[in-house]
Amino acid sequence: MATEVQSLHEPTSDVELAITGMTCASCANRIERKLNKLDGVTATVNYATEKAKVSYPGTVSTDDLLRTVEAAGYAAALPTPPATDDAAGEPVERDPLLQRLVISAVLSVPVIAMAMVPAWQFTYWQWASLALAAPVVVWGALPFHRAAWTNLRHGATTMDTLVSVGVLAAFGWSLWALFLGTAGEPGMTHPFRISIDRTNGAANIYLEAAAGVTTFLLAGRWLEHRSKRRAGAALRALLELGARDVGVLRDDASGGRTETRIPVDQLAVGDEFVVRPGEKVATDGTVVTGTSAVDASMLTGESVPVEVGPGDAVVGATVNAGGRLVVRATRVGADTQLAQMARLVEDAQNGKAEVQRLADRVSGVFVPIVIGLSVATLGFWLGAGAGATAAFTAAVAVLIIACPCALGLATPTALMVGTGRGAQLGILIKGPEVLESTRRVDTIVLDKTGTVTTGEMTVHEVVAAEGESVDDVRRLAAALESASEHPIGRAIAAVEGPLPAVEEFTSREGLGVQGVVEGHAVVVGRPSLLADWAQHLPPSLVAAVERAQGEGRTAVAVGWDGRARGVIVVGDTVKPTSAQAVAALRDLGLTPVLLTGDNEAAARHVAAQVGIETVVADVLPADKVAEVQRLQAAGKVVAMVGDGVNDAAALAQADLGLSMGTGTDVAIEAGDLTLVRGDLLVAVDAIRLSRRTLGTIKGNLFWAFAYNVAALPLAAAGLLNPMLAGAAMAFSSVFVVTNSLRLRSFRSSVS
């Protein structure tokens, strides 16, 4: 027992392995099970990012981990820095799958053309087809052969098994017919004749099927791979938000302090650094001197800048929108809130279950049936005394006719047409696995700032005291604030036409501004600033301030020449189409939830305007993830719409993440669907288009398999004519493409 207790407390190390060779989610599960069988090892494998996160004790080495993955039939490697181009210094991205696809396509096109057009079948055309098809079958289809062998060793069958068996059967039969049959004779042609008759197969070749299926499926695999490669971009974009360098205050020989620029990764806890207006805060810390407004909207979702002064905490990557600050670092490196958010995004991505491809799920049943039917056909004809040649012909014909020509087109064609139409409408769909989530989603969580609202400060109302002019209040306040750098001040100053000149401008940091405009001593800022000048607000203006605060907005008092003259209400604005979009989402069967880092009053006010009943406010980024997890634990299938860094982890955690393209790169990369336009109605279109695309894919798969099922009895009966098989394959492929093209008629909800 003592030994067991000791082992529980052994120190562990963490490593992230790069996994290659996975073709579906079952591969990731297989590797995960193998790794977790090692004593003391805890592993999670992510099919989307093609990485394994492994914690292992000292009794296990990284070589043990690599060998375990290899024993499961896959390849693993320790992380290495990307290759760079020495001349440019930029990462060089090599895509062997794209290279395999391009070469296979170049070789396959003439093979298919010669087989389908009798006029092009010149003397010895069949041998030219063999020379072109052989590299495609052997080298181009190698990923499918390798995966089929791996699956076979573990007693499993997938789409790869069906592809490998079908391609090899068609190619093997063609070799037999060319070398041992009559198909290799000079002048042999495939006449365009569709009939059902019994043949020994000696004159039939199926090289176009072997090469064509390989190329079609490589195209589908490349499309999927391209979307998976971008899964880690959210983390890279998140970490790039931070400052690159920072001005640190150091003691000098004269007893004073000088500012020295250093890389941000050299900052230590306790260092004091300078943040000028417009600069990013380098790391988490506490303000030592200075007051300012800090724009934290990307991290917290709050639309109103946060006023900070000595003793207040600030967060790295937020932007100083006002005065000069000196900050003492309290957390650096991996301990900062930005780094913690990066871990949240990564954990959410690792925890999201990837949807296995539809074709895999169907072929998991279909492949064993086809193989069993082929063996049964062989046994039946041998038992019936038809002879070995006829029996083998019928058995192999079953495998050939089951070759998934249309299956190779079913998903990629619908996806290409659907994503193409989506791009026209401002919707970017990252991959086929995204589509399945849209049909099951029943709850949609909406971020407030930048999603339901514009995320920009604007003037909502100007209230003048009795006897005063609204125009004078706005004009004098705008003139004074035109000299200010504060975001609220810039919103007030955003008026048409020329503004009067300002003299003796002074900024009272954290309170407001004052100066002389047209001979008037003007004060604009918090009501407390006006009170310092004995300019107390009359009851009508006090009511305006209270009303603004109740709506989650900011009330700015304006006074001049010894009296309070008015109040300007500044705040975020609801987008014009948000209410219509919420109603449309309800029509799609979704329950909307407003989730925001803003205060309760602001959130409730916005929710009432757009028709949302459920509101969750005052939440930090980690709380957004927790709220999504809470809904999922309650049995909900959750979609999340957001645009900020603070939304990235929740977007990754949600069953379906929809990111606004007007937001940050981090949010865009963490989402499954990107909405290029900042209009919530586009989210409605995204869900509608995704559901329709998924329905098209399912319809394509049904008809692709239906063709196989209908043709299998003819093959088993020995009645497979090459033109009949070719025509059936062509018909199923044309049907799949035509069905997919119907997606081009999808109409947008946005007028």
Side-chain angles (χ1 to χ4, degrees):
M1 178 64 71
T3 302
E4 293 178 2
V5 173
Q6 177 73 19
S7 67
L8 290 175
H9 296 281
E10 284 183 0
T12 60
S13 302
D14 295 326
V15 68
E16 189 173 68
L17 303 178
I19 308 294
T20 55
M22 294 189 295
T23 59
C24 62
S26 61
C27 298
N29 294 334
R30 188 177 303 134
I31 297 170
E32 193 171 293
R33 288 196 304 270
K34 291 287 187 182
L35 288 172
N36 285 323
K37 286 181 180 179
L38 297 175
D39 290 338
V41 171
T42 302
T44 58
V45 180
N46 191 326
Y47 170 60
T49 60
E50 297 182 326
K51 291 180 180 178
K53 291 183 66 175
V54 187
S55 297
Y56 60 99
T59 55
V60 177
S61 68
T62 54
D63 287 339
D64 294 330
L65 301 176
L66 298 178
R67 281 194 295 267
T68 300
V69 175
E70 290 170 1
Y74 305 91
L78 296 172
T80 56
T84 58
D85 186 331
D86 293 335
E90 296 295 330
V92 177
E93 187 175 2
R94 297 178 176 87
D95 191 344
L97 184 57
L98 179 59
Q99 182 184 43
R100 194 181 298 268
L101 168 61
V102 171
I103 293 174
S104 297
V106 170
L107 296 174
S108 298
V109 168
V111 175
I112 297 172
M114 285 188 290
M116 301 303 292
V117 183
W120 294 352
Q121 294 171 4
F122 56 88
T123 305
Y124 296 119
W125 71 273
Q126 67 272 42
W127 295 101
S129 294
L130 176 62
L132 294 170
V136 179
V137 172
V138 176
W139 176 78
L142 186 59
F144 303 108
H145 302 323
R146 187 185 294 121
W149 173 245
T150 300
N151 290 323
L152 180 63
R153 288 168 51 199
H154 295 87
T157 59
T158 64
M159 181 74 172
D160 296 303
T161 309
L162 183 56
V163 173
S164 181
V165 170
V167 167
L168 291 178
F171 187 70
W173 182 267
S174 300
L175 289 178
W176 177 84
L178 285 169
F179 287 98
L180 301 178
T182 59
E185 296 178 355
M188 188 279 287
T189 61
H190 274 172
F192 192 77
R193 178 174 52 86
I194 298 178
S195 62
I196 299 177
D197 50 22
R198 196 174 303 280
T199 173
N200 63 7
N204 300 341
I205 60 172
Y206 301 96
L207 295 171
E208 76 283 359
V213 167
T214 299
T215 301
F216 286 141
L217 289 176
L218 282 174
R221 184 68 55 83
W222 178 73
L223 284 171
E224 182 180 7
H225 180 68
R226 185 179 62 173
S227 66
K228 287 200 301 177
R229 280 182 310 182
R230 299 160 67 183
L235 302 180
R236 293 192 297 272
L238 185 54
L239 295 175
E240 287 171 359
L241 281 176
R244 302 286 183 177
D245 52 32
V246 59
V248 180
L249 297 177
R250 305 288 195 197
D251 296 332
D252 56 28
S254 63
R257 307 182 78 191
T258 58
E259 182 179 333
T260 305
R261 302 297 295 186
I262 64 171
V264 73
D265 57 8
Q266 294 181 13
L267 263 181
V269 173
D271 283 346
E272 293 185 2
F273 58 92
V274 177
V275 188
R276 292 182 174 80
E279 287 187 339
K280 293 179 180 178
V281 179
T283 192
D284 298 0
T286 303
V287 177
V288 178
T289 61
T291 58
S292 182
V294 174
D295 182 359
S297 59
M298 287 195 303
L299 287 175
T300 66
E302 297 175 0
S303 55
V304 179
V306 180
E307 302 284 351
V308 296
D312 290 334
V314 291
V315 178
T318 55
V319 179
N320 179 14
R324 179 180 184 271
L325 297 175
V326 175
V327 179
R328 180 180 295 111
T330 57
R331 291 186 294 186
V332 297
D335 296 328
T336 64
Q337 184 172 329
L338 183 65
Q340 291 170 4
M341 289 180 64
R343 286 196 293 272
L344 279 174
V345 175
E346 185 175 22
D347 291 342
Q349 286 184 334
N350 285 334
K352 184 191 290 188
E354 292 297 326
V355 181
Q356 191 172 351
R357 291 175 301 177
L358 293 174
D360 267 345
R361 292 215 292 268
V362 180
S363 63
V365 177
F366 186 72
V367 174
I369 292 176
V370 169
I371 294 175
L373 182 58
S374 177
V375 173
T377 300
L378 177 65
F380 172 80
W381 287 113
L382 287 176
T389 300
F392 186 72
T393 298
V396 175
V398 170
L399 297 177
I400 292 173
I401 201 65
C403 198
C405 216
L407 283 177
L409 293 170
T411 297
T413 52
L415 186 62
M416 283 189 286
V417 178
T419 54
R421 180 57 180 151
Q424 293 176 336
L425 301 176
I427 304 162
L428 304 181
I429 303 172
K430 290 193 175 179
E433 68 280 356
V434 172
L435 305 176
E436 204 161 14
S437 300
T438 62
R439 185 175 292 276
R440 299 180 292 111
V441 164
D442 54 27
T443 303
I444 186 163
V445 176
L446 305 175
D447 172 54
K448 180 181 78 69
T449 307
T451 302
V452 177
T453 67
T454 62
E456 298 176 358
M457 303 295 289
T458 56
V459 174
H460 285 261
E461 184 182 17
V462 179
V463 180
E466 186 176 353
E468 302 294 339
S469 165
V470 168
D471 291 339
D472 287 344
V473 171
R474 180 68 190 273
R475 185 172 58 85
L476 293 180
L480 189 58
E481 290 287 14
S482 65
S484 171
E485 296 178 340
H486 197 286
I488 292 178
R490 289 197 295 268
I492 294 174
V495 296
E496 296 182 1
L499 292 172
V502 180
E503 300 174 358
E504 302 178 24
F505 175 83
T506 303
S507 175
R508 298 287 301 277
E509 293 180 344
L511 293 173
V513 293
Q514 61 193 60
V516 177
V517 181
E518 295 182 338
H520 301 289
V522 183
V523 181
V524 179
R526 296 177 183 269
S528 59
L529 176 61
L530 272 68
D532 291 343
W533 290 86
Q535 299 181 19
H536 300 285
L537 272 61
S540 61
L541 297 186
V542 171
V545 171
E546 292 175 348
R547 183 171 66 252
Q549 292 174 343
E551 296 174 351
R553 292 171 175 161
T554 300
V556 180
V558 182
W560 62 83
D561 296 342
R563 284 182 53 196
R565 310 282 181 158
V567 167
I568 299 177
V569 179
V570 179
D572 205 352
T573 304
V574 173
K575 292 179 180 179
T577 58
S578 291
Q580 180 186 351
V582 169
L585 290 170
R586 289 186 186 277
D587 291 340
L588 290 173
L590 307 180
T591 301
V593 176
L594 189 66
L595 185 65
T596 178
D598 260 358
N599 61 73
E600 181 82 15
R604 291 286 177 189
H605 181 71
V606 170
Q609 292 183 70
V610 299
I612 298 177
E613 299 173 359
T614 307
V615 176
V616 182
D618 294 310
V619 291
L620 297 174
D623 298 327
K624 288 192 174 186
V625 178
E627 180 62 22
V628 172
Q629 291 173 333
R630 185 190 67 79
L631 290 168
Q632 290 171 330
K636 305 294 185 182
V637 181
V638 181
M640 168 78 186
V641 186
D643 75 324
V645 174
N646 60 302
D647 303 319
L651 285 167
Q653 175 64 42
D655 299 284
L656 177 68
L658 298 95
S659 53
M660 290 286 191
T662 52
T664 64
D665 290 342
V666 181
I668 291 170
E669 293 296 345
D672 301 308
L673 293 163
T674 299
L675 315 178
V676 176
R677 289 179 289 173
D679 190 331
L680 196 55
L681 272 177
V682 183
V684 178
D685 285 342
I687 293 175
R688 289 176 52 236
L689 177 60
S690 297
R691 288 180 174 180
R692 185 167 167 185
T693 304
L694 177 64
T696 301
I697 290 175
K698 287 185 173 181
N700 288 347
L701 290 173
F702 170 79
W703 287 109
F705 278 107
Y707 142 74
N708 291 116
V709 171
L712 278 173
L714 293 175
L719 300 175
L720 181 64
N721 175 277
M723 279 295 101
L724 180 64
M729 286 183 178
F731 173 78
S732 62
S733 299
V734 169
F735 177 87
V736 162
V737 172
T738 304
N739 192 42
S740 299
L741 289 174
R742 292 169 58 235
L743 290 168
R744 296 169 61 184
S745 63
F746 178 86
R747 294 188 177 276
S748 171
S749 304
V750 184
S751 57

